[in-house]
Amino acid sequence: MSVTQHPPGQHSPGQHPPGRQPPGQSPGTPSPGGGPMDSDGAREALNDRISADSLTTRRDYLRIVTTVSGGLAVGGLGVAGGVLKRHGDSEAAPTPRKVTDRLQPGESADFRFPGEEDRAVAVRLADGTLAGYSAVCTHLACAVLWRKDRGTEGELYCPCHEGVFDARTGEVTAGPPPRGLPRVLLVEREDGSVWALATARSGEDTKDAVCRQFRKSDPESTARLGCPGVTRATHERGKQT
């Protein structure tokens, strides 16, 4: 029987050069007839797939980081520039709200005031002093937490960027916050319950805060406080209406 010879580099019909898969057969797939996989071609295809996946992963990572960083930057500019709503910005007198039935020294209570979207925290210092603050950091609006085991009186701490606020005054003691925490004015009733009555902006005097919010709704009390712009005539007009 004669055997047909083929020039070098040519193969019989149905045969394929070593290291190449038949058309339509993916790398790593057994060749027809159950023969061994083309290891060189499979390895090359696998390397290409890994390289493509790595590139996609890097691109996705960079895209996510860029988006998040941009969002934080915009948020920071908004808070610093006063574009975003600040705690207690309303000029209207808030509705008094019960914070807790009782607050012992070293304890804290989370609540919402003056609105449901306004997070706040009340703390009782070791000497019995009540202090209330916005629980929204003035840096990038992260949550502020009470840590009674820090310092001599405890501290208000923002874990996002290591911001720290004085528990007695609300002023910044460490970290990037640009200003102190807005205060919530608290009172304690005879039964021991703690109530939130008003808010004070960062650095605002308590009297100024009360005058600003209660000048119209309670002219009698604000007149007794000597609030500017509130006179006896204003008080009389308030009674008539």
Side-chain angles (χ1 to χ4, degrees), residues 57-73:
T57 301
R58 288 196 297 272
R59 285 174 175 169
D60 290 343
Y61 174 77
L62 291 173
R63 174 176 54 80
I64 293 170
V65 169
T66 301
T67 301
V68 172
S69 299
L72 290 176

Side-chain angles (χ1 to χ4, degrees), residues 118-136:
D118 298 310
R119 301 192 303 273
V121 59
V123 300
R124 172 87 74 176
L125 303 181
D127 64 0
T129 300
L130 274 175
Y133 301 99
S134 164
V136 179

